Amino acid sequence: LEKAEYLFCVCGDDGVNAEIAFHARVLLPAKLSKPLTCVVHIIDPQLCRLLKEREFETERHDAFRLEFFNLFDYAARTILDAFPPFNGAKEKGAFLSHLLIVGIGNMGESLVVHAVRKWIDLEKRTGKKSRKLTISIIDRIAKEKKELLNRRYPRLKKVCRLEPLEMNIHSKEFEEGRFLFNSKKESRMNVVYVCLDNDSFALRVALSLH
């Protein structure tokens, strides 16, 4: 630790990562020629946000710097930059967009949050007040996930309308894909993001929706 400039805690467990950081801080001498920056991966996006706000309520340690990051948070921003959700979504000068997110785990939640932030930034940049951003979410417990998101992010309801579509991806209802279209049989969504844990299954779901 005395020779290192960076310590990365990237085990698959938030508690283990936090414990490593805590012990590193205790073991480190109070004075070093170069401070040690400890970068801690926190899987739970909500916990990561809370830790960033509080930054471990401990006394100052000049030789120790603590930073938290969440892989899903970075991935969501990268995906939205690579595949923008709002390009060309205009009607009579106002921006319109309807996103579909399949699977509301850590990745899906991060996509919802960052899509809403991009929507707010878009309104600020253009100076145009648009309708609420609509995000349909497909999950076996979509209604519960919607309530959880609204509770975690109170401002969400002001700019975003979450539409929960509670269904099993293996079901006939999903395979028929009626939720993709309006009464005129036109596509309701302009972007679909598939956020499932199994890569091959996620690819099959994406191809089925396409």
Side-chain angles (χ1 to χ4, degrees):
L1 286 175
E2 293 178 30
K3 296 178 181 179
E5 290 184 50
Y6 292 92
L7 169 63
F8 292 92
C9 306
V10 289
C11 300
D13 184 289
D14 290 348
V16 171
N17 288 339
E19 190 175 359
I20 292 169
F22 173 77
H23 283 299
R25 185 183 179 284
V26 171
L27 291 168
L28 205 65
K31 291 183 179 181
L32 283 176
S33 57
K34 290 183 179 179
L36 175 71
T37 299
C38 184
V39 185
V40 183
H41 181 226
I42 301 296
I43 297 170
D44 184 340
Q46 179 72 359
L47 177 59
C48 187
R49 184 177 66 82
L50 291 171
L51 287 173
K52 280 181 178 178
E53 289 174 359
R54 303 198 179 187
E55 293 183 352
F56 275 165
E57 293 178 352
T58 56
E59 69 274 14
R60 181 183 172 85
H61 195 311
D62 292 333
F64 187 79
R65 294 172 182 169
L66 189 62
E67 294 180 12
F68 299 98
F69 80 100
N70 176 267
L71 188 62
F72 300 105
D73 184 74
Y74 282 98
R77 283 185 280 171
T78 302
I79 288 169
L80 292 169
D81 286 340
F83 306 98
F86 313 130
N87 281 7
K90 278 188 176 183
E91 183 181 276
K92 296 180 182 178
F95 287 94
L96 300 173
S97 197
H98 189 157
L99 315 183
L100 171 63
I101 298 177
V102 182
I104 305 297
N106 289 327
M107 187 70 236
E109 178 178 331
S110 294
L111 271 174
V112 169
V113 172
H114 284 287
V116 170
R117 285 176 181 167
K118 274 190 170 289
W119 185 255
I120 293 169
D121 289 342
L122 181 67
E123 287 190 335
K124 286 179 180 177
R125 273 199 326 270
T126 59
K128 295 177 181 177
K129 191 70 177 176
S130 302
R131 300 179 196 174
K132 282 186 177 182
L133 169 64
T134 301
I135 302 179
S136 296
I137 55 175
I138 292 181
D139 199 278
R140 283 179 297 178
I141 52 170
K143 292 177 183 177
E144 184 180 324
K145 291 292 180 79
K146 173 190 173 180
E147 294 305 316
L148 193 60
L149 283 165
N150 283 331
R151 195 176 302 118
R152 284 180 176 175
Y153 309 98
R155 294 178 58 196
L156 202 66
K157 289 190 282 189
K158 295 180 180 179
V159 291
C160 176
R161 186 176 72 86
L162 283 175
E163 178 189 63
L165 301 173
E166 205 155 272
M167 66 182 79
N168 191 318
I169 295 171
H170 298 281
S171 67
K172 179 186 174 186
E173 182 184 14
F174 182 84
E175 290 289 339
E176 288 175 344
R178 293 179 183 174
F179 53 86
L180 293 169
F181 307 99
N182 59 23
S183 57
K184 297 178 182 178
K185 295 185 178 180
E186 299 169 333
S187 176
R188 294 199 302 142
M189 291 90 176
N190 55 299
V191 186
V192 177
Y193 299 100
V194 180
C195 305
L196 302 173
D197 293 335
N198 185 293
D199 290 349
S200 59
F201 182 52
L203 182 58
R204 183 163 68 82
V205 167
L207 291 171
S208 296
L209 289 172
H210 186 266

